[in-house]
CSV table of all heavy atoms in Angstrom, one decimal:
chain,number,residue,atom,x,y,z
C,1,MET,N,-46.3,44.6,-29.6
C,1,MET,CA,-46.3,43.4,-28.7
C,1,MET,C,-47.1,43.7,-27.4
C,1,MET,O,-46.8,44.6,-26.7
C,1,MET,CB,-44.9,43.0,-28.4
C,1,MET,CG,-44.7,41.5,-28.4
C,1,MET,SD,-43.0,41.0,-28.3
C,1,MET,CE,-42.8,40.9,-26.5
C,2,SER,N,-48.2,43.0,-27.2
C,2,SER,CA,-48.9,43.3,-26.0
C,2,SER,C,-49.2,42.0,-25.2
C,2,SER,O,-50.3,41.7,-24.7
C,2,SER,CB,-50.3,44.0,-26.3
C,2,SER,OG,-51.0,43.1,-27.1
C,3,ARG,N,-48.2,41.1,-25.2
C,3,ARG,CA,-48.3,39.8,-24.5
C,3,ARG,C,-48.3,40.1,-23.0
C,3,ARG,O,-47.4,40.8,-22.5
C,3,ARG,CB,-47.1,39.0,-24.9
C,3,ARG,CG,-47.3,37.5,-24.5
C,3,ARG,CD,-46.2,36.8,-25.2
C,3,ARG,NE,-44.9,37.0,-24.6
C,3,ARG,CZ,-44.4,36.2,-23.7
C,3,ARG,NH1,-45.0,35.2,-23.3
C,3,ARG,NH2,-43.2,36.5,-23.1
C,4,LYS,N,-49.2,39.5,-22.3
C,4,LYS,CA,-49.2,39.6,-20.8
C,4,LYS,C,-48.3,38.6,-20.2
C,4,LYS,O,-48.2,37.5,-20.7
C,4,LYS,CB,-50.7,39.4,-20.3
C,4,LYS,CG,-51.5,40.6,-20.5
C,4,LYS,CD,-52.7,40.6,-19.6
C,4,LYS,CE,-53.6,41.8,-19.7
C,4,LYS,NZ,-54.8,41.8,-18.9
C,5,ASP,N,-47.7,39.0,-19.1
C,5,ASP,CA,-46.8,38.1,-18.4
C,5,ASP,C,-47.0,38.3,-16.9
C,5,ASP,O,-47.5,39.2,-16.5
C,5,ASP,CB,-45.4,38.4,-18.8
C,5,ASP,CG,-44.5,37.2,-19.0
C,5,ASP,OD1,-44.8,36.2,-18.3
C,5,ASP,OD2,-43.7,37.2,-19.9
C,6,HIS,N,-46.5,37.3,-16.2
C,6,HIS,CA,-46.5,37.4,-14.7
C,6,HIS,C,-45.3,38.0,-14.2
C,6,HIS,O,-44.2,37.6,-14.5
C,6,HIS,CB,-46.7,36.0,-14.1
C,6,HIS,CG,-48.1,35.5,-14.2
C,6,HIS,ND1,-48.6,34.6,-15.2
C,6,HIS,CD2,-49.2,35.8,-13.4
C,6,HIS,CE1,-49.9,34.4,-15.0
C,6,HIS,NE2,-50.3,35.1,-14.0
C,7,CYS,N,-45.5,39.0,-13.3
C,7,CYS,CA,-44.3,39.6,-12.6
C,7,CYS,C,-43.7,38.6,-11.7
C,7,CYS,O,-44.3,37.9,-11.0
C,7,CYS,CB,-44.8,40.8,-11.8
C,7,CYS,SG,-43.6,41.5,-10.8
C,8,SER,N,-42.4,38.5,-11.7
C,8,SER,CA,-41.6,37.6,-10.9
C,8,SER,C,-41.5,38.0,-9.5
C,8,SER,O,-41.2,37.2,-8.6
C,8,SER,CB,-40.2,37.4,-11.5
C,8,SER,OG,-40.2,36.9,-12.8
C,9,ILE,N,-41.8,39.2,-9.2
C,9,ILE,CA,-41.8,39.7,-7.8
C,9,ILE,C,-43.1,39.6,-7.1
C,9,ILE,O,-43.3,39.0,-6.1
C,9,ILE,CB,-41.3,41.2,-7.8
C,9,ILE,CG1,-40.0,41.4,-8.6
C,9,ILE,CG2,-41.1,41.7,-6.3
C,9,ILE,CD1,-38.7,40.9,-8.0
C,10,CYS,N,-44.2,40.2,-7.7
C,10,CYS,CA,-45.5,40.3,-7.0
C,10,CYS,C,-46.5,39.3,-7.7
C,10,CYS,O,-47.6,39.2,-7.2
C,10,CYS,CB,-46.0,41.7,-7.0
C,10,CYS,SG,-46.4,42.4,-8.6
C,11,GLU,N,-46.1,38.7,-8.8
C,11,GLU,CA,-46.9,37.7,-9.5
C,11,GLU,C,-48.2,38.3,-10.1
C,11,GLU,O,-49.1,37.6,-10.5
C,11,GLU,CB,-47.3,36.6,-8.6
C,11,GLU,CG,-46.1,35.6,-8.4
C,11,GLU,CD,-46.2,34.7,-7.2
C,11,GLU,OE1,-47.3,34.6,-6.7
C,11,GLU,OE2,-45.2,34.2,-6.8
C,12,LYS,N,-48.2,39.6,-10.3
C,12,LYS,CA,-49.3,40.3,-11.0
C,12,LYS,C,-49.2,40.0,-12.5
C,12,LYS,O,-48.1,40.0,-13.0
C,12,LYS,CB,-49.2,41.8,-10.7
C,12,LYS,CG,-50.4,42.6,-11.1
C,12,LYS,CD,-50.4,44.0,-10.6
C,12,LYS,CE,-49.4,44.8,-11.2
C,12,LYS,NZ,-49.3,46.2,-10.7
C,13,GLU,N,-50.3,39.9,-13.1
C,13,GLU,CA,-50.3,39.7,-14.6
C,13,GLU,C,-50.6,41.0,-15.2
C,13,GLU,O,-51.6,41.7,-15.0
C,13,GLU,CB,-51.5,38.7,-15.0
C,13,GLU,CG,-51.2,38.1,-16.3
C,13,GLU,CD,-52.3,37.2,-16.8
C,13,GLU,OE1,-52.7,36.4,-15.9
C,13,GLU,OE2,-52.8,37.3,-17.9
C,14,THR,N,-49.6,41.4,-16.1
C,14,THR,CA,-49.7,42.7,-16.7
C,14,THR,C,-48.8,42.7,-18.0
C,14,THR,O,-48.0,41.9,-18.2
C,14,THR,CB,-49.2,43.8,-15.8
C,14,THR,OG1,-49.2,45.1,-16.5
C,14,THR,CG2,-47.8,43.6,-15.3
C,15,GLU,N,-49.2,43.6,-18.9
C,15,GLU,CA,-48.4,43.8,-20.1
C,15,GLU,C,-47.4,44.9,-19.9
C,15,GLU,O,-46.5,45.2,-20.8
C,15,GLU,CB,-49.2,44.0,-21.3
C,15,GLU,CG,-50.1,45.2,-21.2
C,15,GLU,CD,-51.2,45.1,-22.4
C,15,GLU,OE1,-51.8,44.1,-22.6
C,15,GLU,OE2,-51.4,46.2,-23.0
C,16,LYS,N,-47.5,45.7,-18.8
C,16,LYS,CA,-46.6,46.8,-18.5
C,16,LYS,C,-45.5,46.4,-17.6
C,16,LYS,O,-45.7,46.3,-16.4
C,16,LYS,CB,-47.4,48.0,-17.9
C,16,LYS,CG,-48.3,48.7,-18.9
C,16,LYS,CD,-49.0,49.8,-18.2
C,16,LYS,CE,-50.0,50.5,-19.2
C,16,LYS,NZ,-51.0,51.3,-18.5
C,17,GLY,N,-44.4,46.2,-18.2
C,17,GLY,CA,-43.2,45.8,-17.4
C,17,GLY,C,-42.0,45.6,-18.3
C,17,GLY,O,-42.0,45.9,-19.5
C,18,ILE,N,-40.9,45.2,-17.7
C,18,ILE,CA,-39.7,45.0,-18.5
C,18,ILE,C,-39.1,43.6,-18.1
C,18,ILE,O,-39.4,43.0,-17.1
C,18,ILE,CB,-38.6,46.1,-18.1
C,18,ILE,CG1,-38.3,46.2,-16.6
C,18,ILE,CG2,-39.1,47.5,-18.6
C,18,ILE,CD1,-36.9,46.6,-16.3
C,19,TYR,N,-38.2,43.2,-19.0
C,19,TYR,CA,-37.4,42.0,-18.8
C,19,TYR,C,-36.0,42.4,-18.3
C,19,TYR,O,-35.3,43.1,-18.9
C,19,TYR,CB,-37.3,41.2,-20.1
C,19,TYR,CG,-38.5,40.5,-20.4
C,19,TYR,CD1,-39.5,41.0,-21.2
C,19,TYR,CD2,-38.8,39.2,-19.8
C,19,TYR,CE1,-40.7,40.3,-21.5
C,19,TYR,CE2,-39.9,38.5,-20.1
C,19,TYR,CZ,-40.9,39.1,-20.9
C,19,TYR,OH,-42.1,38.4,-21.2
C,20,LEU,N,-35.7,41.9,-17.1
C,20,LEU,CA,-34.4,42.1,-16.4
C,20,LEU,C,-33.7,40.8,-16.3
C,20,LEU,O,-34.2,39.9,-15.7
C,20,LEU,CB,-34.6,42.7,-15.0
C,20,LEU,CG,-34.1,44.1,-14.7
C,20,LEU,CD1,-34.5,44.5,-13.3
C,20,LEU,CD2,-32.6,44.2,-14.9
C,21,LEU,N,-32.7,40.6,-17.1
C,21,LEU,CA,-32.0,39.3,-17.1
C,21,LEU,C,-33.0,38.2,-17.5
C,21,LEU,O,-33.0,37.1,-17.0
C,21,LEU,CB,-31.3,38.9,-15.8
C,21,LEU,CG,-30.4,39.9,-15.2
C,21,LEU,CD1,-30.1,39.6,-13.7
C,21,LEU,CD2,-29.1,40.0,-15.9
C,22,ARG,N,-33.8,38.5,-18.5
C,22,ARG,CA,-34.9,37.6,-19.0
C,22,ARG,C,-36.0,37.3,-18.0
C,22,ARG,O,-36.8,36.4,-18.2
C,22,ARG,CB,-34.2,36.3,-19.6
C,22,ARG,CG,-33.5,36.7,-20.9
C,22,ARG,CD,-33.1,35.4,-21.6
C,22,ARG,NE,-32.1,34.7,-20.8
C,22,ARG,CZ,-31.9,33.4,-20.8
C,22,ARG,NH1,-32.6,32.6,-21.6
C,22,ARG,NH2,-30.9,32.8,-20.1
C,23,VAL,N,-35.9,38.0,-16.8
C,23,VAL,CA,-37.0,37.8,-15.8
C,23,VAL,C,-37.9,39.0,-16.0
C,23,VAL,O,-37.5,40.1,-15.9
C,23,VAL,CB,-36.4,37.7,-14.4
C,23,VAL,CG1,-37.5,37.7,-13.4
C,23,VAL,CG2,-35.4,36.5,-14.3
C,24,PHE,N,-39.2,38.7,-16.1
C,24,PHE,CA,-40.2,39.8,-16.2
C,24,PHE,C,-40.6,40.4,-14.9
C,24,PHE,O,-40.9,39.7,-13.9
C,24,PHE,CB,-41.5,39.2,-16.9
C,24,PHE,CG,-42.5,40.3,-17.2
C,24,PHE,CD1,-42.4,41.2,-18.2
C,24,PHE,CD2,-43.6,40.4,-16.4
C,24,PHE,CE1,-43.3,42.1,-18.5
C,24,PHE,CE2,-44.6,41.4,-16.6
C,24,PHE,CZ,-44.4,42.2,-17.7
C,25,ILE,N,-40.5,41.7,-14.8
C,25,ILE,CA,-41.0,42.4,-13.6
C,25,ILE,C,-41.9,43.5,-14.1
C,25,ILE,O,-41.7,44.2,-15.1
C,25,ILE,CB,-39.9,42.9,-12.7
C,25,ILE,CG1,-39.0,43.9,-13.4
C,25,ILE,CG2,-39.1,41.8,-12.1
C,25,ILE,CD1,-38.1,44.7,-12.5
C,26,CYS,N,-43.0,43.8,-13.3
C,26,CYS,CA,-44.0,44.8,-13.7
C,26,CYS,C,-43.5,46.2,-13.4
C,26,CYS,O,-42.5,46.4,-12.7
C,26,CYS,CB,-45.3,44.5,-13.0
C,26,CYS,SG,-45.3,44.9,-11.2
C,27,GLU,N,-44.2,47.2,-14.0
C,27,GLU,CA,-43.8,48.6,-13.8
C,27,GLU,C,-43.7,49.0,-12.4
C,27,GLU,O,-42.7,49.7,-12.0
C,27,GLU,CB,-44.9,49.4,-14.5
C,27,GLU,CG,-44.4,50.3,-15.6
C,27,GLU,CD,-45.5,51.1,-16.2
C,27,GLU,OE1,-46.6,51.2,-15.7
C,27,GLU,OE2,-45.2,51.6,-17.3
C,28,ASP,N,-44.6,48.5,-11.5
C,28,ASP,CA,-44.6,48.9,-10.1
C,28,ASP,C,-43.4,48.4,-9.4
C,28,ASP,O,-42.8,49.2,-8.6
C,28,ASP,CB,-45.9,48.4,-9.4
C,28,ASP,CG,-47.2,49.0,-10.0
C,28,ASP,OD1,-47.1,50.0,-10.7
C,28,ASP,OD2,-48.2,48.3,-9.9
C,29,CYS,N,-43.1,47.1,-9.6
C,29,CYS,CA,-41.9,46.6,-9.0
C,29,CYS,C,-40.6,47.2,-9.5
C,29,CYS,O,-39.7,47.3,-8.7
C,29,CYS,CB,-41.9,45.0,-9.1
C,29,CYS,SG,-43.2,44.2,-8.2
C,30,GLU,N,-40.6,47.5,-10.8
C,30,GLU,CA,-39.4,48.1,-11.3
C,30,GLU,C,-39.2,49.5,-10.6
C,30,GLU,O,-38.0,49.7,-10.2
C,30,GLU,CB,-39.6,48.4,-12.8
C,30,GLU,CG,-38.4,48.8,-13.5
C,30,GLU,CD,-38.7,49.7,-14.8
C,30,GLU,OE1,-39.9,49.6,-15.2
C,30,GLU,OE2,-37.8,50.3,-15.3
C,31,GLU,N,-40.2,50.3,-10.5
C,31,GLU,CA,-40.1,51.5,-9.8
C,31,GLU,C,-39.7,51.4,-8.4
C,31,GLU,O,-38.8,52.1,-7.9
C,31,GLU,CB,-41.4,52.3,-9.9
C,31,GLU,CG,-41.5,53.2,-11.1
C,31,GLU,CD,-42.9,53.8,-11.2
C,31,GLU,OE1,-43.4,54.3,-10.2
C,31,GLU,OE2,-43.4,53.9,-12.3
C,32,GLU,N,-40.2,50.4,-7.7
C,32,GLU,CA,-39.9,50.2,-6.3
C,32,GLU,C,-38.5,49.7,-6.2
C,32,GLU,O,-37.8,50.1,-5.2
C,32,GLU,CB,-40.8,49.1,-5.7
C,32,GLU,CG,-41.4,49.5,-4.4
C,32,GLU,CD,-42.3,48.4,-3.8
C,32,GLU,OE1,-43.1,47.8,-4.5
C,32,GLU,OE2,-42.2,48.2,-2.6
C,33,MET,N,-38.0,48.9,-7.1
C,33,MET,CA,-36.6,48.4,-7.0
C,33,MET,C,-35.7,49.6,-7.2
C,33,MET,O,-34.6,49.7,-6.5
C,33,MET,CB,-36.4,47.4,-8.2
C,33,MET,CG,-36.5,46.0,-7.7
C,33,MET,SD,-36.1,44.9,-9.0
C,33,MET,CE,-34.5,44.4,-8.7
C,34,ILE,N,-36.0,50.5,-8.1
C,34,ILE,CA,-35.2,51.7,-8.4
C,34,ILE,C,-35.1,52.6,-7.1
C,34,ILE,O,-34.1,53.1,-6.8
C,34,ILE,CB,-35.7,52.5,-9.6
C,34,ILE,CG1,-35.4,51.6,-10.9
C,34,ILE,CG2,-35.0,53.8,-9.7
C,34,ILE,CD1,-36.2,52.1,-12.1
C,35,ASP,N,-36.2,52.7,-6.4
C,35,ASP,CA,-36.3,53.5,-5.2
C,35,ASP,C,-35.7,52.9,-4.0
C,35,ASP,O,-35.6,53.5,-2.9
C,35,ASP,CB,-37.8,53.9,-4.9
C,35,ASP,CG,-38.3,54.9,-6.0
C,35,ASP,OD1,-37.5,55.6,-6.6
C,35,ASP,OD2,-39.5,55.0,-6.1
C,36,THR,N,-35.4,51.6,-4.1
C,36,THR,CA,-34.9,50.9,-2.9
C,36,THR,C,-33.4,50.9,-2.9
C,36,THR,O,-32.8,50.4,-3.8
C,36,THR,CB,-35.4,49.4,-2.9
C,36,THR,OG1,-36.8,49.4,-3.0
C,36,THR,CG2,-35.0,48.7,-1.6
C,37,PRO,N,-32.7,51.4,-1.8
C,37,PRO,CA,-31.3,51.4,-1.8
C,37,PRO,C,-30.8,50.0,-1.6
C,37,PRO,O,-31.5,49.1,-1.0
C,37,PRO,CB,-30.9,52.3,-0.6
C,37,PRO,CG,-32.2,52.4,0.2
C,37,PRO,CD,-33.4,52.1,-0.7
C,38,ALA,N,-29.6,49.7,-2.0
C,38,ALA,CA,-29.0,48.4,-2.0
C,38,ALA,C,-28.8,47.8,-0.6
C,38,ALA,O,-28.7,46.6,-0.4
C,38,ALA,CB,-27.7,48.3,-2.7
C,39,ASP,N,-28.7,48.7,0.4
C,39,ASP,CA,-28.5,48.3,1.8
C,39,ASP,C,-29.9,48.1,2.5
C,39,ASP,O,-29.9,47.7,3.7
C,39,ASP,CB,-27.6,49.2,2.6
C,39,ASP,CG,-28.1,50.6,2.6
C,39,ASP,OD1,-29.2,50.9,2.0
C,39,ASP,OD2,-27.5,51.5,3.4
C,40,ASP,N,-31.0,48.3,1.8
C,40,ASP,CA,-32.3,48.0,2.4
C,40,ASP,C,-32.6,46.5,2.3
C,40,ASP,O,-32.3,45.9,1.3
C,40,ASP,CB,-33.3,48.8,1.6
C,40,ASP,CG,-34.7,48.9,2.2
C,40,ASP,OD1,-35.2,47.9,2.6
C,40,ASP,OD2,-35.2,50.1,2.4
C,41,PRO,N,-33.2,46.0,3.4
C,41,PRO,CA,-33.5,44.5,3.4
C,41,PRO,C,-34.5,44.2,2.3
C,41,PRO,O,-34.5,43.0,1.8
C,41,PRO,CB,-34.2,44.3,4.8
C,41,PRO,CG,-33.7,45.4,5.6
C,41,PRO,CD,-33.5,46.6,4.7
C,42,LYS,N,-35.3,45.1,1.9
C,42,LYS,CA,-36.2,44.9,0.8
C,42,LYS,C,-35.5,44.6,-0.5
C,42,LYS,O,-36.0,43.9,-1.4
C,42,LYS,CB,-37.2,46.1,0.7
C,42,LYS,CG,-38.6,45.8,0.4
C,42,LYS,CD,-39.5,46.9,0.7
C,42,LYS,CE,-39.8,47.8,-0.6
C,42,LYS,NZ,-40.6,48.9,-0.3
C,43,TYR,N,-34.4,45.3,-0.7
C,43,TYR,CA,-33.6,45.1,-1.9
C,43,TYR,C,-33.2,43.6,-2.0
C,43,TYR,O,-33.2,43.0,-3.1
C,43,TYR,CB,-32.4,46.0,-1.9
C,43,TYR,CG,-31.6,46.1,-3.2
C,43,TYR,CD1,-32.0,46.9,-4.2
C,43,TYR,CD2,-30.5,45.3,-3.4
C,43,TYR,CE1,-31.3,46.9,-5.4
C,43,TYR,CE2,-29.8,45.3,-4.6
C,43,TYR,CZ,-30.2,46.1,-5.6
C,43,TYR,OH,-29.5,46.1,-6.8
C,44,ASP,N,-32.8,43.1,-0.9
C,44,ASP,CA,-32.4,41.7,-0.8
C,44,ASP,C,-33.5,40.8,-1.2
C,44,ASP,O,-33.3,39.8,-1.9
C,44,ASP,CB,-31.9,41.4,0.6
C,44,ASP,CG,-31.0,40.2,0.7
C,44,ASP,OD1,-30.0,40.2,0.0
C,44,ASP,OD2,-31.3,39.3,1.5
C,45,TYR,N,-34.7,41.1,-0.8
C,45,TYR,CA,-35.9,40.4,-1.2
C,45,TYR,C,-36.1,40.4,-2.7
C,45,TYR,O,-36.3,39.3,-3.3
C,45,TYR,CB,-37.1,41.0,-0.5
C,45,TYR,CG,-38.4,40.5,-1.0
C,45,TYR,CD1,-38.9,39.2,-0.6
C,45,TYR,CD2,-39.2,41.3,-1.8
C,45,TYR,CE1,-40.2,38.8,-1.1
C,45,TYR,CE2,-40.4,40.9,-2.3
C,45,TYR,CZ,-40.9,39.6,-1.9
C,45,TYR,OH,-42.1,39.2,-2.4
C,46,PHE,N,-36.0,41.5,-3.3
C,46,PHE,CA,-36.1,41.7,-4.8
C,46,PHE,C,-35.1,40.8,-5.5
C,46,PHE,O,-35.4,40.0,-6.4
C,46,PHE,CB,-35.9,43.1,-5.2
C,46,PHE,CG,-37.1,44.0,-4.9
C,46,PHE,CD1,-36.9,45.2,-4.3
C,46,PHE,CD2,-38.4,43.6,-5.3
C,46,PHE,CE1,-38.0,46.1,-4.0
C,46,PHE,CE2,-39.5,44.5,-5.0
C,46,PHE,CZ,-39.3,45.7,-4.4
C,47,VAL,N,-33.9,40.9,-5.0
C,47,VAL,CA,-32.8,40.1,-5.6
C,47,VAL,C,-33.0,38.6,-5.5
C,47,VAL,O,-32.9,37.9,-6.5
C,47,VAL,CB,-31.4,40.5,-5.0
C,47,VAL,CG1,-30.3,39.6,-5.5
C,47,VAL,CG2,-31.0,41.9,-5.3
C,48,LYS,N,-33.5,38.2,-4.4
C,48,LYS,CA,-33.8,36.8,-4.2
C,48,LYS,C,-34.9,36.3,-5.1
C,48,LYS,O,-34.9,35.2,-5.6
C,48,LYS,CB,-34.1,36.5,-2.7
C,48,LYS,CG,-32.8,36.4,-1.9
C,48,LYS,CD,-33.1,36.0,-0.4
C,48,LYS,CE,-31.8,35.9,0.3
C,48,LYS,NZ,-32.0,36.5,1.7
C,49,ARG,N,-36.0,37.1,-5.2
C,49,ARG,CA,-37.1,36.7,-6.1
C,49,ARG,C,-36.7,36.6,-7.5
C,49,ARG,O,-37.1,35.7,-8.2
C,49,ARG,CB,-38.2,37.8,-6.0
C,49,ARG,CG,-38.9,37.8,-4.6
C,49,ARG,CD,-39.8,36.7,-4.4
C,49,ARG,NE,-40.9,36.5,-5.4
C,49,ARG,CZ,-42.0,35.9,-5.3
C,49,ARG,NH1,-42.3,35.4,-4.1
C,49,ARG,NH2,-42.8,35.7,-6.2
C,50,MET,N,-35.8,37.6,-7.9
C,50,MET,CA,-35.3,37.6,-9.3
C,50,MET,C,-34.4,36.3,-9.5
C,50,MET,O,-34.6,35.7,-10.6
C,50,MET,CB,-34.4,38.8,-9.5
C,50,MET,CG,-35.1,40.1,-9.4
C,50,MET,SD,-35.7,40.7,-11.1
C,50,MET,CE,-34.2,40.5,-12.0
C,51,ALA,N,-33.6,36.0,-8.6
C,51,ALA,CA,-32.7,34.9,-8.7
C,51,ALA,C,-33.5,33.6,-8.8
C,51,ALA,O,-33.2,32.7,-9.6
C,51,ALA,CB,-31.7,34.8,-7.6
C,52,LYS,N,-34.5,33.5,-8.0
C,52,LYS,CA,-35.3,32.3,-8.0
C,52,LYS,C,-36.1,32.1,-9.3
C,52,LYS,O,-36.1,31.0,-9.9
C,52,LYS,CB,-36.4,32.4,-6.8
C,52,LYS,CG,-36.9,31.1,-6.4
C,52,LYS,CD,-37.9,31.3,-5.3
C,52,LYS,CE,-38.9,30.1,-5.2
C,52,LYS,NZ,-40.2,30.4,-4.7
C,53,ALA,N,-36.6,33.2,-9.8
C,53,ALA,CA,-37.3,33.2,-11.1
C,53,ALA,C,-36.4,32.9,-12.2
C,53,ALA,O,-36.7,32.1,-13.1
C,53,ALA,CB,-37.9,34.6,-11.3
C,54,HIS,N,-35.1,33.4,-12.1
C,54,HIS,CA,-34.1,33.1,-13.2
C,54,HIS,C,-33.7,31.6,-13.2
C,54,HIS,O,-33.6,31.0,-14.2
C,54,HIS,CB,-32.9,34.0,-12.9
C,54,HIS,CG,-32.0,34.1,-14.1
C,54,HIS,ND1,-30.8,33.5,-14.1
C,54,HIS,CD2,-32.2,34.7,-15.3
C,54,HIS,CE1,-30.2,33.8,-15.3
C,54,HIS,NE2,-31.1,34.5,-16.1
C,55,ARG,N,-33.6,31.1,-12.0
C,55,ARG,CA,-33.2,29.7,-11.9
C,55,ARG,C,-34.3,28.7,-12.4
C,55,ARG,O,-34.0,27.7,-13.0
C,55,ARG,CB,-32.9,29.3,-10.4
C,55,ARG,CG,-31.5,29.4,-10.0
C,55,ARG,CD,-31.2,28.6,-8.8
C,55,ARG,NE,-32.0,28.9,-7.7
C,55,ARG,CZ,-31.8,29.9,-6.8
C,55,ARG,NH1,-30.8,30.6,-7.0
C,55,ARG,NH2,-32.6,30.1,-5.8
C,56,SER,N,-35.6,29.1,-12.1
C,56,SER,CA,-36.7,28.3,-12.5
C,56,SER,C,-36.9,28.2,-14.0
C,56,SER,O,-37.6,27.4,-14.6
C,56,SER,CB,-38.0,28.8,-11.9
C,56,SER,OG,-38.4,30.0,-12.4
C,57,MET,N,-36.2,29.1,-14.8
C,57,MET,CA,-36.3,29.1,-16.2
C,57,MET,C,-35.3,28.1,-16.9
C,57,MET,O,-35.5,27.7,-18.0
C,57,MET,CB,-36.0,30.5,-16.8
C,57,MET,CG,-37.1,31.5,-16.5
C,57,MET,SD,-36.8,33.0,-17.4
C,57,MET,CE,-35.1,33.4,-17.1
C,58,ILE,N,-34.3,27.8,-16.1
C,58,ILE,CA,-33.3,26.9,-16.6
C,58,ILE,C,-33.8,25.4,-16.4
C,58,ILE,O,-34.0,25.0,-15.2
C,58,ILE,CB,-31.9,27.1,-15.9
C,58,ILE,CG1,-31.5,28.6,-16.1
C,58,ILE,CG2,-30.9,26.1,-16.4
C,58,ILE,CD1,-30.4,29.0,-15.1
C,59,PRO,N,-34.0,24.6,-17.4
C,59,PRO,CA,-34.4,23.3,-17.2
C,59,PRO,C,-33.4,22.4,-16.5
C,59,PRO,O,-32.2,22.5,-16.9
C,59,PRO,CB,-34.6,22.7,-18.7
C,59,PRO,CG,-34.0,23.7,-19.6
C,59,PRO,CD,-33.7,25.0,-18.8
C,60,SER,N,-33.8,21.7,-15.5
C,60,SER,CA,-32.9,20.9,-14.7
C,60,SER,C,-32.9,19.4,-15.2
C,60,SER,O,-33.9,19.0,-15.7
C,60,SER,CB,-33.2,21.0,-13.2
C,60,SER,OG,-34.5,20.8,-13.0
W,101,LIG,ZN1,-44.7,43.3,-9.8
């Protein structure tokens, strides 16, 4: 499978990434998230981007 997708964090188009809670994130953002402690303000940013992407998948 080599389908390209847009990263939900940085919006980069890549085939290298993973699905987290059905939200696609690229390799770079995945690594950054792993390296970011939960009390870092940046972690909050990641979580918010993920939540927003997750919500946008649910048809309203
Ligand atoms: Zn990314």
Side-chain angles (χ1 to χ4, degrees):
M1 220 170 88
S2 61
R3 195 168 73 94
K4 281 196 177 177
D5 220 328
H6 280 98
C7 172
S8 299
I9 310 287
C10 68
E11 282 160 22
K12 188 168 75 181
E13 198 181 317
T14 178
E15 58 193 45
K16 285 180 184 161
I18 57 149
Y19 283 93
L20 244 177
L21 305 169
R22 288 188 294 153
V23 175
F24 182 78
I25 61 166
C26 74
E27 237 177 17
D28 296 340
C29 290
E30 187 207 346
E31 270 176 40
E32 225 181 322
M33 261 181 104
I34 290 163
D35 287 341
T36 307
D39 59 353
D40 193 305
K42 218 162 92 184
Y43 188 85
D44 202 51
Y45 167 79
F46 284 131
V47 171
K48 278 187 182 137
R49 293 286 305 200
M50 293 267 309
K52 200 180 161 209
H54 197 249
R55 266 203 305 276
S56 69
M57 289 190 311
I58 302 159
S60 48

